[in-house]
Amino acid sequence: MADACFAHPRLASVYDPLDPDRGDLDAYLLMAEDFGARQVLDIGCGTGVFALLLAGRGVEVVGVDPARASLDVARAKPGGERVRWVCGDADALPPLQVDLATMTANVAQQIAAPDAWRGTLRKAYASLRPGGRLVFETRDPAARAWEGWNRETSYRVTDIPGVGAVESWVDVTAVDGPLVSFRWTYVFAADGEVLTSDSTLRFREREEVVTDLAAEGFEVEPVRDAPDRPGKEFVFVARRPASDGG
């Protein structure tokens, strides 16, 4: 089930203006270009920001996400008709043979259940052509990013055209081993409605991810640093072997 910030229609409609800086996607665009990707699968595409950037460059894109409200936002954007949108998790995908599969931002960590994580990797592998790549990022647990997730550091008021002022902040609600749970709170000044969205991320160690990828048949390329968060995240590039009998 998708978190409310993606699945609730009112929250999905303000997701982009509340998080307008998507400079983190520049590295993915560059990799897609470097890899010569002409068909891309965007897993956890959300409101379609990355998928539409790719489509605008002439790339054939399939975007999959379990949050129908977010996909409704994506479809309504200029160029939305260029992308094939699929509502559901990776298991909902039709047979594909793409050059590149991606999970941007927190998508990989939001797949917290071990079975769901392994299933997603397995489906990504099956959706790639031989020689195709899977790219995603995950936060380094050693950086302990969650220690800075609180109202004091995150509180802001965003004035959104047609919506009005929206207050928002985040608080960590639980830390249980590799699982970190947190709650975003949103207050809409126009009518005083208060909405919350609860999320859980799994912070996986680098070698754990490498092991999981290898178990599904991937060849893992050297792990990269995230250019927008140096020293805080791992960027994994995993390749389906060119000749694997699949």
Side-chain angles (χ1 to χ4, degrees):
M1 182 178 297
D3 300 338
C5 60
F6 309 112
H8 190 289
R10 191 172 195 181
L11 293 181
S13 71
V14 298
Y15 184 84
D16 290 336
L18 288 177
D19 186 21
D21 182 7
R22 294 309 310 272
D24 61 300
L25 298 177
D26 292 344
Y28 287 90
L29 290 171
L30 183 59
M31 283 188 282
E33 182 178 346
D34 288 346
F35 298 152
R38 304 310 304 160
Q39 295 87 31
V40 174
L41 166 62
D42 186 19
I43 299 171
C45 64
T47 57
V49 176
F50 182 56
L52 290 169
L53 286 172
L54 288 170
R57 296 183 173 204
V59 178
E60 182 181 331
V61 188
V62 175
V64 59
D65 199 282
R68 187 173 299 279
S70 290
L71 291 180
D72 288 342
V73 172
R75 288 191 183 96
K77 291 180 178 179
E81 72 285 353
R82 299 177 183 174
V83 178
R84 182 179 181 183
W85 307 105
V86 178
C87 187
D89 59 19
D91 286 336
L93 288 168
L96 298 171
Q97 286 283 279
V98 300
D99 304 311
L100 177 67
T102 60
M103 292 185 280
T104 65
N106 289 330
V107 171
Q109 288 187 253
Q110 286 173 323
I111 307 172
D115 288 347
W117 172 241
R118 289 190 294 269
T120 300
L121 295 181
R122 194 172 304 121
K123 188 63 178 184
Y125 186 97
S127 298
L128 289 168
R129 63 166 178 79
R133 292 176 173 87
L134 167 66
V135 178
F136 61 91
E137 65 188 83
T138 183
R139 298 171 188 258
D140 182 355
R144 302 180 68 83
W146 61 87
E147 292 182 347
W149 298 350
N150 53 62
R151 178 167 181 164
E152 181 179 354
T153 60
S154 64
Y155 178 84
R156 64 183 183 270
V157 179
T158 307
D159 193 14
I160 303 174
V163 175
V166 179
E167 296 176 77
S168 60
W169 66 89
V170 67
D171 287 299
V172 171
T173 55
V175 178
D176 183 9
L179 300 176
V180 177
S181 299
F182 52 96
R183 173 174 294 164
W184 275 98
T185 299
Y186 307 88
V187 182
F188 291 80
D191 57 12
E193 184 174 21
V194 179
L195 296 173
T196 60
S197 178
D198 293 324
S199 302
T200 297
L201 300 183
R202 180 176 289 272
F203 283 74
R204 299 179 176 92
E205 299 290 346
R206 173 174 173 162
E207 289 308 313
E208 177 186 0
V209 177
V210 170
T211 299
D212 290 344
L213 288 166
E216 299 305 330
F218 284 101
E219 296 175 347
V220 184
E221 299 183 4
V223 179
R224 308 184 183 193
D225 202 10
D228 60 314
R229 293 176 182 170
K232 297 181 179 180
E233 292 192 356
F234 304 125
V235 177
F236 292 91
V237 179
R239 183 172 177 268
R240 175 171 176 167
S243 298
D244 61 357

